[in-house]
Amino acid sequence: MNWLEIVGWAGSALLVWSLLQTRILRLRALNLVGCLILIGYNTAVQVWPMVGLNVVLAVINVWYLRKLLATRHDEQTYQVVEVGTGDAFLAHTLRVHAADIARFNPGFHWDPAAADRSAFLVVRADEVVGVMLSHAEPGSVAQVDLDYVTPPFRDFTPGEFVYRRSRLFTDRGFRRVVSPPGMIAPYYHRLGFRPEGGAYVLDLPVPATRG
C-alpha cells in the first residue's frame, strides 16, 4: 500500500466516522474534511465520478456549515418557550434524556410540585434544543437546577437565549443567576458568568424604569 492509498483510506474512514457523530456542527465539519481528502485522492487516481460526488457533498456541507454558524446566535432561529413545571412534554423530554442528563448533572433532582419553580424549553422550530429549570432563592437569586443541551446542539450555547437575550429573569425580579452545582463541563464563561465558589454567577442588569 503506497502513501496515496493510505490517504484514500484515511479520507474514507473520516467520512464514515463523521456519520457517527451526534453533534450537527461536528458531523458537517468532519464530513467536509473527509470529502476534501477524497477529492484530492480521486483526482490523483483519475476516478472522476467520485471526484464529482465528493465535490457535490463538500458544497452541501459548506452550505449547511455556513447556515449553522450564521444562525447560532439568531433569536429568530432559537426561541425560548416557558412551560408549566408539571408539563407532560417537559416530563417526556426529561425522561427521554435522563441518562444523558445524569451524565452532565449527576446531582440533578426535579420536583415539579415544589414552589417557585420555572421551566423553559429552547427550541428550533419544533425541535427541542435545550431545557432550563430553576427555582427562586432568597436575595433575588435564580438558582438553576438544570441547564441541558441536547446532543445535536452541544457545540452551540443555546443557554444564551435564556440568560442574555430575554427578560425571563429580570421581569421576575431576579438580580443574580447561579449555575447548577456540580455540573460537568459548564460553558458559562462564554456567556459572561463569573466563577464564584463552586459555581458560576451572572449579575443581571436592573431593568430601566419607564417614565
Side-chain angles (χ1 to χ4, degrees):
M1 182 181 295
N2 58 39
W3 69 268
L4 191 58
E5 289 179 320
I6 293 174
V7 169
W9 280 109
S12 297
L14 185 57
L15 209 63
V16 172
W17 188 45
S18 72
L19 298 177
L20 299 176
Q21 305 302 309
T22 57
R23 302 186 185 188
I24 297 176
L25 190 62
R26 184 175 299 179
L27 184 155
R28 290 294 177 186
L30 291 175
N31 200 275
L32 174 60
V33 174
C35 288
L36 294 176
I37 293 174
L38 290 175
I39 289 171
Y41 170 74
N42 287 297
T43 298
V45 298
Q46 299 184 346
V47 183
W48 304 116
M50 295 305 296
V51 171
L53 173 62
N54 283 285
V55 166
V56 172
L57 292 177
V59 170
I60 291 173
N61 281 314
V62 168
W63 188 85
Y64 274 106
L65 280 169
R66 181 179 178 183
K67 183 178 180 181
L68 287 169
L69 294 173
T71 60
R72 67 187 306 174
H73 303 295
D74 183 14
E75 292 183 35
Q76 301 302 315
T77 302
Y78 300 94
Q79 299 185 24
V80 179
V81 178
E82 183 173 9
V83 297
T85 56
D87 182 82
F89 183 72
L90 171 63
H92 170 75
T93 302
L94 295 176
R95 184 167 57 253
V96 167
H97 297 282
D100 199 41
I101 289 173
R103 176 186 169 196
F104 291 95
N105 300 267
F108 171 69
H109 173 72
W110 177 246
D111 181 3
D116 296 323
R117 258 53 177 176
S118 298
F120 305 95
L121 297 176
V122 181
V123 298
R124 188 182 73 165
D126 60 351
E127 184 176 15
V128 175
V129 173
V131 180
M132 207 288 296
L133 308 174
S134 67
H135 69 271
E137 289 283 349
S140 301
V141 173
Q143 173 64 60
V144 179
D145 298 292
L146 177 67
D147 183 352
Y148 175 70
V149 180
T150 56
F153 298 92
R154 201 150 287 160
D155 290 319
F156 302 89
T157 55
E160 70 179 276
F161 299 103
V162 180
Y163 303 122
R164 302 299 295 255
R165 301 198 175 193
S166 75
R167 300 171 62 91
L168 296 174
F169 292 106
T170 56
D171 284 351
R172 289 167 167 76
F174 292 113
R175 296 294 172 263
R176 303 179 84 203
V177 180
V178 180
S179 69
M183 181 178 177
I184 306 299
Y187 62 96
Y188 295 100
H189 59 283
R190 290 188 274 170
L191 300 180
F193 282 67
R194 56 181 172 80
E196 183 176 293
Y200 288 84
V201 175
L202 177 67
D203 296 309
L204 299 171
V206 178
T209 58
R210 297 179 180 178

